[in-house]
């Protein structure tokens, strides 16, 4: 690979798109923002990127100097836009989720692998120091046999948040609390505890007047035999940091966002404290901080330079979409869903609600 700065194009310049541009500004010399779409053209200058051109999404993807396309658009567009960028010969960085349906997520994996391109799905919680530490100990067996994992996202989003972007109110566009707010917690729990094989669930809209669910409760069975619980909501004022609890045959740990609340494993040191703790986003989606995105961008740059896959790739994103769609399927049907059972084709699982 050339040592020249990597050409980056950003599609979508809302809160998260601006966060990516800010992260790129910390990687000067390694990356160069070539083009961006969405928002006001003046935003680029405000973020110190006056040399980048402000064009349409299609022009960002087609720009000859763009090597990596960053998708920060509404969730319902991610699958289609990822495929468009891959077919244009670009590597892709896509905000969560990879897609709102399993079929296009599977297609993204296939196209990326066929063309030798990478897709890095933003799952920055996995790269936090304490997450890396716990994952290593779980995989080594140091913490014992996994027994129970719990993830709770008791957040608040007000009416203004939903009025700002109509897609947030729609189930089929990924606006629900599970897919939009709870995804990172679900992804992290499944990554730490191992693959999920079966789910049951219920959901409802309890605090807002909209189509999308705002509260979901699910139970999980992991391949290891361990069990789990996931609770997500945007209707629980005042909004509290997401929490996670891990129970094994040797002890237990509890985390509030990235903070270690308790660590009860005799003889095993607690995880390291992060250098820059991310905000929780519990009641303010803009308060998540920059550290997580910057850590993932450093991995993306290294992956591009070395030719290795990124730490969090398309198959990781597919696994998470498959899990979330399985939870929604379980809530819709009122039955347990085995994620790989032959009578429920994976490609048929979507986020769309029944009438």
């Amino acid at each position: 690979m050339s040592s020249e700065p990597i050409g980056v194009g950003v599609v979508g310049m809302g809160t998260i798109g601006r966060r990516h541009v800010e992260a790129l500004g910390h990687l000067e010399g390694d990356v160069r923002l070539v083009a961006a779409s969405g928002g006001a053209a003046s935003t680029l200058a405000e973020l110190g990127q006056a040399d980048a051109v402000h064009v349409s999404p299609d022009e960002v993807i087609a720009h000859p100097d763009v090597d990596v396309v960053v998708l920060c658009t509404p969730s319902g567009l991610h699958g289609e836009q990822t495929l468009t960028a891959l077919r244009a010969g670009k590597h892709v960085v896509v905000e969560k989720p990879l897609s709102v349906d399993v079929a296009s997520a599977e297609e993204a994996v296939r196209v990326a692998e066929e063309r030798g391109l990478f897709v890095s799905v933003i799952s920055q919680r996995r790269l936090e120091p304490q997450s890396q530490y716990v994952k290593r100990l779980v995989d080594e067996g140091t913490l014992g046999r996994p027994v129970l994992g719990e993830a709770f996202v008791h957040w608040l989003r007000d009416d203004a948040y939903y009025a700002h972007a109509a897609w947030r109110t729609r189930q089929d566009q990924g606006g629900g609390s599970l897919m939009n707010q709870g995804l990172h917690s679900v992804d992290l729990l499944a990554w730490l505890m191992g693959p999920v094989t079966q789910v049951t669930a219920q959901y409802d809209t309890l605090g807002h007047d909209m189509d999308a669910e705002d509260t979901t409760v699910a139970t999980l069975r992991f391949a290891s035999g361990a069990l789990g619980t996931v609770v997500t909501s945007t209707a629980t004022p005042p909004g509290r940091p997401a929490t996670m609890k891990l129970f094994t045959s040797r002890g237990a740990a509890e985390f509030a966002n990235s903070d270690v609340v308790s660590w009860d494993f005799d003889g095993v040191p607690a995880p390291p404290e992060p250098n820059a703790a991310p905000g929780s986003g519990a009641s303010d989606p803009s308060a998540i901080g920059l550290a997580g995105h910057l850590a993932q961008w450093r991995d993306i740059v290294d992956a591009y330079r070395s030719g290795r896959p990124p730490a969090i790739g398309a198959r990781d994103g597919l696994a998470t979409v498959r899990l979330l769609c399985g939870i929604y399927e379980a809530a819709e049907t009122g039955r347990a869903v085995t994620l790989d059972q032959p009578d429920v084709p994976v490609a048929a699982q979507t986020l769309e609600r029944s009438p």
Side-chain angles (χ1 to χ4, degrees):
M1 290 287 183
S2 168
S3 60
E4 291 295 313
I6 302 165
V8 176
V10 176
V11 180
M13 285 288 288
T15 299
I16 292 298
R18 292 194 295 271
R19 185 65 41 78
H20 280 270
V21 173
E22 290 172 8
L24 295 176
H26 288 266
L27 300 171
E28 190 174 354
D30 287 318
V31 299
R32 177 173 70 92
L33 183 63
V34 174
S37 68
S42 59
T43 302
L44 292 173
E46 293 168 4
L47 294 173
Q49 299 288 349
D51 291 338
V53 296
H54 188 261
V55 293
S56 71
D58 288 344
E59 289 173 308
V60 172
I61 293 171
H63 198 293
D65 294 334
V66 168
D67 305 302
V68 178
V69 172
V70 187
L71 299 175
C72 301
T73 48
S75 296
L77 301 177
H78 289 181
E80 177 185 350
Q81 290 179 331
T82 295
L83 288 167
T84 298
L86 289 171
R87 288 168 178 152
K90 313 294 187 179
H91 298 286
V92 178
V93 174
V94 56
E95 271 293 337
K96 55 82 179 170
L98 172 58
S99 176
V100 297
D101 69 272
V102 176
S104 61
E106 289 180 324
E107 181 71 358
V109 170
R110 185 188 68 79
V111 173
E113 293 179 352
E114 279 185 357
R115 302 195 177 207
L117 298 166
F118 70 67
V119 176
S120 182
V121 183
I122 297 298
S123 301
Q124 71 273 22
R125 293 296 312 276
R126 295 191 189 190
L127 299 180
E128 293 171 359
Q130 73 279 8
S131 299
Q132 292 282 313
Y133 179 80
V134 173
K135 174 65 172 174
R136 178 173 59 82
L137 295 182
V138 169
D139 289 350
E140 292 173 351
T142 303
L143 301 185
R145 175 176 52 83
V147 174
L148 178 66
E150 301 175 341
F152 300 98
V153 182
H154 298 142
W155 283 8
L156 177 67
R157 293 293 182 265
D158 60 18
D159 291 341
Y161 168 84
Y162 288 104
H164 182 73
W167 71 268
R168 296 171 177 168
T169 70
R170 294 179 53 185
Q171 187 81 357
D172 64 347
Q173 295 299 303
S177 70
L178 177 72
M179 178 64 78
N180 196 18
Q181 285 78 28
L183 182 148
H184 286 309
S185 291
V186 176
D187 175 80
L188 186 61
L189 180 67
W191 181 65
L192 291 172
M193 294 283 289
V196 178
T197 59
Q198 190 176 71
V199 297
T200 64
Q202 296 186 73
Y203 68 64
D204 209 334
T205 309
L206 302 174
H208 304 92
D209 181 14
M210 62 183 186
D211 168 66
E213 55 82 15
D214 63 17
T215 305
T216 288
V217 177
T219 67
L220 317 176
R221 180 175 292 278
F222 297 92
S224 66
L227 298 178
T229 300
V230 167
V231 176
T232 68
S233 183
T234 59
T236 46
R240 302 184 184 279
T243 60
M244 182 173 297
K245 299 179 182 181
L246 304 178
F247 300 87
T248 76
S249 58
R250 283 200 57 190
E254 181 178 353
F255 303 89
N257 203 37
S258 62
D259 296 331
V260 180
V261 176
S262 64
W263 182 263
D264 298 308
F265 294 98
D266 289 342
V268 181
E273 292 294 332
N275 293 327
S280 75
S283 58
D284 180 1
S286 67
I288 62 172
L290 188 63
H293 281 79
L294 188 54
Q296 188 156 353
W297 262 107
R298 288 187 173 118
D299 173 77
I300 292 163
V301 169
D302 185 70
Y304 182 91
R305 297 289 189 204
S306 66
R308 67 165 174 82
I312 305 156
R315 287 190 175 273
D316 299 294
L318 169 60
T320 300
V321 171
R322 186 175 283 143
L323 170 56
L324 297 176
C325 288
I327 292 173
Y328 279 128
E329 178 74 12
E332 288 289 344
T333 63
R335 64 174 175 80
V337 170
T338 300
L339 297 184
D340 58 353
Q341 65 185 24
D343 61 325
V344 183
V346 169
Q349 299 172 6
T350 70
L351 302 186
E352 190 169 359
R353 261 184 173 172
S354 301

